Amino acid sequence: MFARTDALAVEDSLVRLRHALHRQPELGLDLPRTQRAVLDALSGLPLEITTGRQLTSVTAVLRGGRSGPAVLLRGDMDALPVQEDSGVPYASEVPGRMHACGHDVHTAGLVGAARLLAARREELAGDVVFMFQPGEEGMGGARLMVEEGVLDAAGTRVVAAYALHVTSAVLPVGTAAVRPGPMLAASDEVTVRVVGAGGHGSSPHLAKDPVPAVCEMVTALQTLVTRTVDIFDPAVITVGSLHAGSAGNVIPGAAEFTATIRTFSEETRARVRAALERTVRGIAAAHGLTAGTDYREGYPVTVNDAAEAAFALRTAREVLGAARVFEAPRPMAGSEDFSYVLHEVPGAYVGLGACPPDQDPSAAPMNHSAQAVYDDRAVADAAALLAGLAARRLQEAGARKTGAPTEQPS
């Protein structure tokens, strides 16, 4: 029903919207300027629009011309606290803020999908829910929108949900990747504080030094992964912050470190947490110290439904071209709050290339970098792919109901 060429008619206006959003990035759950830009961009379309109570979200429902189920398309809207150094002419005008993760592309692409689908509303065998979400970057905006009823915005629970994420590296612009099962990792964080007794650096036997114990813990956590976790269901523990003391000749009374933990199943997630807490407390006890852990669970694993991932792969090949789309061989260790949506309804999360053609995808600055650049052509790719996923999913649902063939020409 849709191909990338369908998005070319609205590409220029979508790119202008993307540039406007990029110049004025906002953080977290409160994005008033972004919300206003989205509402203005949707003005005039036959949509039922509501806004969030706990966050500046926008939910828009498009009623299809024929009866059928509802599907959901999501685009996140928030930026990052990064000082932009990309050199693009539409760079951020707000100091210390940047759309370094490409959410401006997602937002403009979802607006484009709404325009494309609205133009062919009478052909749709069901309804489409457009989920414009703040607060993906660590604030759990998707969970809040689920709590506020986005999955039931059309009057019935959506039967499938789709989202995409652009990459400024790895994938060239115009390409896409998806896989069944885990697509992205769960992301947790732990702070370990080890308490001993301070003293003079010349007399460690008169103190209880936490520093060697903390060093031993950091090393032991790497061994923990290799000896506790199935290599085919992996985990990553990275200690990114470690602090102890204030002078070279003083033994501190306490030391602490903070680590991120990435896992790809809830079973391994629970196993790693238990093993980590057991390990640090055991090492502390062996040194005559005490250890406390502040373990903070972040986003769950983002799991693509197998049937929906296969559908998304097939649809992406039809929209973008078969040579440009492939099944991802492995998940990525990033995390996403779209996981909360996929925990409630089946769906798929798709990676979309946006690395400019003048850069090497294997060496280009990655998402979250101050130098990250996303090619404008990804906006039309996103619009066409999202529209195609919604239209084809409704089409297939109707075909299953009537027994008609599901394959239709683009």
Side-chain angles (χ1 to χ4, degrees):
M1 181 177 283
F2 285 98
R4 189 193 184 281
T5 52
D6 293 304
L8 296 181
V10 295
E11 184 174 25
D12 287 347
S13 64
L14 296 180
V15 169
R16 287 195 298 273
L17 172 61
R18 185 247 161 157
H19 288 181
L21 295 173
H22 197 94
R23 289 188 181 98
Q24 295 293 324
E26 296 177 295
L27 306 180
L29 300 172
D30 187 26
L31 318 177
R33 295 173 67 108
T34 305
Q35 183 188 58
R36 182 72 263 162
V38 168
L39 292 171
D40 289 345
L42 298 177
S43 178
L45 299 180
L47 300 169
E48 300 169 12
I49 294 178
T50 57
T51 55
R53 299 183 300 276
Q54 303 175 77
L55 68 174
T56 53
S57 60
V58 176
T59 299
V61 179
L62 177 67
R63 302 292 181 184
R66 293 180 286 146
S67 64
V71 298
L72 180 143
L73 304 175
R74 180 270 216 158
D76 40 1
M77 305 190 294
D78 56 322
L80 284 159
V82 172
Q83 180 63 45
E84 182 158 5
D85 186 28
S86 67
V88 298
Y90 50 89
S92 171
E93 297 171 356
V94 183
R97 297 182 182 183
M98 176 189 175
H99 269 294
C101 206
H103 294 184
D104 52 334
V105 177
H106 302 169
T107 303
L110 188 56
V111 167
R115 292 178 180 174
L116 294 175
L117 290 164
R120 298 168 74 167
R121 182 174 68 88
E122 295 303 322
E123 302 172 31
L124 298 179
D127 305 326
V128 183
V129 178
F130 301 93
M131 176 182 176
F132 292 90
Q133 180 215 310
E136 190 281 324
E137 297 291 354
M139 303 295 289
R143 178 179 55 79
L144 296 176
M145 290 191 71
V146 170
E147 290 176 0
E148 293 191 353
V150 69
L151 301 181
D152 304 296
T156 59
R157 176 63 50 115
V158 296
V159 298
Y162 307 101
L164 54 80
H165 205 300
V166 291
T167 62
S168 59
V170 183
L171 296 176
V173 65
T175 61
V178 66
R179 71 185 309 275
M183 185 71 179
L184 294 170
S187 174
D188 301 327
E189 186 172 271
V190 63
T191 296
V192 177
R193 181 171 175 81
V194 181
V195 179
H200 197 287
S202 66
S203 305
H205 62 291
L206 299 178
K208 291 184 178 181
D209 191 350
V211 174
V214 164
C215 294
E216 189 175 330
M217 289 173 189
V218 172
T219 302
L221 292 182
Q222 307 312 309
T223 304
L224 178 156
V225 170
T226 64
R227 292 298 179 267
T228 305
V229 177
D230 184 342
I231 62 171
F232 296 106
D233 185 10
V236 176
I237 300 178
T238 297
V239 176
S241 173
L242 192 155
H243 297 278
S246 58
N249 64 343
V250 178
I251 294 173
E256 70 176 37
F257 64 89
T258 300
T260 183
I261 301 98
R262 306 295 172 117
T263 50
F264 296 91
S265 73
E266 290 303 318
E267 295 77 15
T268 293
R269 190 184 195 187
R271 185 181 302 115
V272 168
R273 175 174 183 170
L276 183 149
E277 292 177 337
R278 183 177 64 248
T279 297
V280 299
R281 290 197 172 102
I283 291 173
H287 286 260
L289 313 171
T290 60
T293 58
D294 177 16
Y295 202 101
R296 301 173 294 279
E297 289 196 348
Y299 296 158
V301 185
T302 301
V303 181
N304 284 344
D305 177 83
E308 295 296 345
F311 163 76
L313 184 67
R314 182 171 69 252
T315 300
R317 285 172 172 161
E318 293 171 354
V319 173
L320 301 177
R324 297 178 170 225
V325 180
F326 64 95
E327 181 173 320
R330 63 184 68 87
M332 295 185 293
S335 63
E336 242 286 352
D337 72 348
F338 192 64
S339 54
Y340 293 117
V341 174
L342 295 182
H343 183 74
E344 299 292 332
V345 297
Y349 186 84
V350 181
L352 183 66
C355 182
D358 62 347
Q359 296 195 33
D360 178 359
S362 66
M366 187 55 177
N367 294 38
H368 287 218
S369 167
Q371 292 83 38
V373 175
Y374 301 86
D375 195 291
D376 280 335
R377 284 170 291 185
V379 177
D381 291 338
L385 180 53
L386 289 169
L389 287 166
R392 284 171 166 81
R393 183 62 174 83
L394 294 176
Q395 184 182 70
E396 290 198 4
R400 292 187 195 119
K401 187 175 180 180
T402 62
T406 58
E407 291 297 328
Q408 300 290 334
S410 296

